[in-house]
Amino acid sequence: MDPIAGTVPGLDALHFCEEIQRLMTVPPPQQENASSFTALLDLPPTQAMELLHLSQEPEANLAAVRPAAVSGEPSCVLPFNSSLMFPSDAELIERAAKFSIFGGGGEQSPVAANPGVDLERVKSEPAETDSNPNSSLETKTNNLRPSAKRKEREKKGKVSVKKTKIEVKEDADKVPYVHVRARRGQATDSHSLAERARREKINARMKLLQELVPGCNKISGTALVLDEIINHVQSLQRQVEFLSMRLATVDPRIDSNLDHLLAPESLSLMQSNFSNMAPPLMWPEFPISGNRQQYQQQWHFDALHQPGWGREEDNHTFNTPEALLISCNSSANSASLHTGHVKTEL
Amino acid sequence: MSMNSRSLLLSPNPNSLKYRFTNGLLSALSRINRKQSQQPRSAREIRKRHRLIKAAAYGSMASSVGNRRAWSRALLWKIRNQTRRGYAARRNITSSSRQLSMKKRICDLQKGDQSKNRVEVGGMGQVDKLRRLVPGGQIMDTCSLLEETAHYMKCLVTQVKVMTSIVEIYSLP
């Protein structure tokens, strides 16, 4: 826990100034972020200096954003117990990382931009890095860098620190560009990250589909669920085909049929309370999987049975098929509501 | 007229998919019936009517969804191509440049899938089956295919409900 500040000669600071000014003329496009960056870095300027010196590299990328602080302080004596008041800005760190001169060498940009969300852990980090000052640059920066992204995982204490080191060893032979906190035992490769994100997206969509297809909730496993979905879509398309065939064969005198449905009946039906009606499921047997051969027979049976079924209901509004239409309406409204719900989800 | 049927079928929400679909379907049906002067008794005429009604059902469904969904866009494009070039267009495979570009897109998509080893949703060719079922599914990646399937399924359910109720009305004595 000894501050290394005293060992920094003044020449280094001057060298810093030139570098910094050079870097300053390369403006990152995120101007608004840069201003906040300066703001947060200006707060404990000496501490940032301290961390920069720790890395022992003249390329102080982050210092590019802090003109004032660096120029005036060649020697900073800082106790490491001081609170590091860096507001969390993990995204900024990523961007700064990309714009700095990283390559495969020194990942050190977020060194000074640790989000101080969990101050204790941040304090423990420098303690650990301090304990082995001769360790490789990568280890140090990798230790400090992922802590910048650890906003959500505050529960993991020192275990996460050890995990970082393990991850560092895994990534040592690759070219690590973006270090993200991964779950335990999972790779942090950018390819695998993208793959994982894609897989999660697909799984979310599959869950939605499972909810839509009746009887699919109990099935586990992607292949079977997909089978169910395909069956359901096929059965629905077949239903449309049968219905259109039925419409084609039926007597095409639309107007004469419908004129019989007079106003008083329809008015009384429409004034009834739709929400009280439990809409009878007209095709209850269809969503059952595996009974594909029985679909057609069931459909014919239901088609014959419906008018009588409608009349058997004790509710007076179910006497005529218009009531079925209206009940269709109410049930389909819930379907359209569900549509809206799914749309927002998707 | 057919306004009575509409008032019966469409009492609640006038902005729902069902409302728009029913409107479209009923007008298409009345149009078909007006064109066909006599009652279709021969099998060929019934089949022709069947085709027309099916196209009208899918067409009005796609129109009521509009351009918001990829499957509805694909359906509308297919129907417009059919009406433009007649029913022979359905059997033509590589007639237009647009179809060629679509084929190229399909090939690229399949190649892309193979090269990146996307094996998560491999199953036993189920995703391919799904692609064939959903209109426009050939040119989508797996993720959006699932999304389109969900919406397509919902619209199919609405379609079936409305059509059953129309059949009910027709079968009244």
Side-chain angles (χ1 to χ4, degrees), chain A residues 93-330:
Chain A
I93 294 157
E94 257 191 66
R95 290 209 201 124
K98 284 178 194 162
F99 281 103
S100 57
I101 318 165
F102 276 159
E107 289 92 359
Q108 35 181 326
S109 74
V111 162
N114 282 331
V117 173
D118 200 342
L119 294 176
E120 288 174 329
R121 254 186 308 126
V122 174
K123 282 182 211 161
S124 70
E125 287 279 334
E128 292 214 14
T129 60
D130 221 12
S131 58
N132 39 1
N134 296 329
S135 66
S136 70
L137 220 58
E138 245 180 291
T139 316
K140 272 187 227 156
T141 52
N142 286 348
N143 273 339
L144 291 168
R145 180 123 182 227
S147 68
K149 304 189 192 294
R150 228 188 306 176
K151 274 187 281 187
E152 304 96 34
R153 309 196 185 235
E154 297 183 1
K155 303 161 202 156
K156 308 187 185 167
K158 295 250 176 163
V159 181
S160 53
V161 175
K162 290 171 194 145
K163 237 195 318 175
T164 325
K165 293 185 180 157
I166 297 170
E167 286 168 10
V168 166
K169 286 170 200 153
E170 285 175 355
D171 290 344
D173 33 340
K174 303 167 198 159
V175 182
Y177 196 63
V178 174
H179 290 282
V180 176
R181 171 70 55 194
R183 274 171 264 172
R184 192 175 186 126
Q186 292 191 352
T188 60
D189 194 20
S190 67
H191 286 298
S192 48
L193 278 177
E195 280 289 320
R196 210 188 309 152
R198 196 177 150 268
R199 248 179 281 145
E200 279 166 10
K201 250 170 86 177
I202 288 185
N203 285 338
R205 307 267 162 96
M206 290 283 296
K207 252 192 281 177
L208 277 172
L209 276 174
Q210 260 186 308
E211 285 164 27
L212 274 182
V213 178
C216 227
N217 287 324
K218 307 155 198 155
I219 303 178
S220 60
T222 325
L224 297 172
V225 169
L226 273 179
D227 267 337
E228 269 307 307
I229 292 168
I230 289 175
N231 284 347
H232 197 242
V233 172
Q234 274 172 345
S235 77
L236 284 172
Q237 282 180 342
R238 245 178 277 132
Q239 280 181 48
V240 171
E241 178 116 9
F242 289 154
L243 284 170
S244 67
M245 173 64 84
R246 201 146 170 235
L247 275 178
T249 58
V250 90
D251 196 350
R253 285 196 302 256
I254 312 176
D255 301 340
S256 62
N257 269 342
L258 298 171
D259 281 343
H260 291 168
L261 313 166
L262 291 175
E265 269 181 349
S266 51
L267 274 177
S268 63
L269 289 167
M270 281 190 275
Q271 280 161 13
S272 61
N273 194 356
F274 298 141
S275 57
N276 285 345
M277 286 190 250
L281 287 174
M282 288 203 264
W283 307 101
E285 293 89 7
F286 273 94
I288 295 175
S289 69
N291 296 341
R292 266 183 275 179
Q293 298 93 14
Q294 303 176 15
Y295 280 172
Q296 195 164 358
Q297 294 120 13
Q298 281 174 354
W299 180 76
H300 283 306
F301 175 71
D302 271 350
L304 293 170
H305 194 54
Q306 267 165 5
W309 181 40
R311 280 181 216 115
E312 279 161 8
E313 291 284 335
D314 56 353
N315 202 341
H316 69 94
T317 52
F318 280 158
N319 282 344
T320 56
E322 299 104 56
L324 290 171
L325 291 168
I326 294 159
S327 64
C328 271
N329 282 340
S330 54

Side-chain angles (χ1 to χ4, degrees), chain A residues 195 198 205 223 227 232 237 239 244-248 250 252 254 257-258 283 306 325 328-329 333, chain B residues 5 8-9 11-12 18 33 49-50 54 118 120 126 143 147 152-153 160 164-165 167-170:
Chain A
E195 280 289 320
R198 196 177 150 268
R205 307 267 162 96
D227 267 337
H232 197 242
Q237 282 180 342
Q239 280 181 48
S244 67
M245 173 64 84
R246 201 146 170 235
L247 275 178
V250 90
I254 312 176
N257 269 342
L258 298 171
W283 307 101
Q306 267 165 5
L325 291 168
C328 271
N329 282 340
N333 275 341
Chain B
S5 65
L8 287 160
L9 286 164
S11 26
K18 182 175 167 184
N33 286 326
R49 222 168 105 82
H50 168 65
K54 195 165 77 161
R118 293 185 181 171
E120 297 106 3
Q126 286 144 343
C143 201
E147 189 179 337
Y152 185 58
M153 246 204 292
V160 164
T164 37
S165 36
V167 166
E168 279 301 312
I169 290 184
Y170 275 23

Side-chain angles (χ1 to χ4, degrees), chain B residues 90-105:
Chain B
R90 263 184 299 159
R91 293 170 201 122
N92 267 354
I93 306 170
T94 54
S95 56
S96 74
S97 59
R98 181 152 180 196
Q99 278 172 333
L100 281 169
S101 64
M102 268 180 67
K103 285 220 144 201
K104 185 165 172 281
R105 225 176 133 184

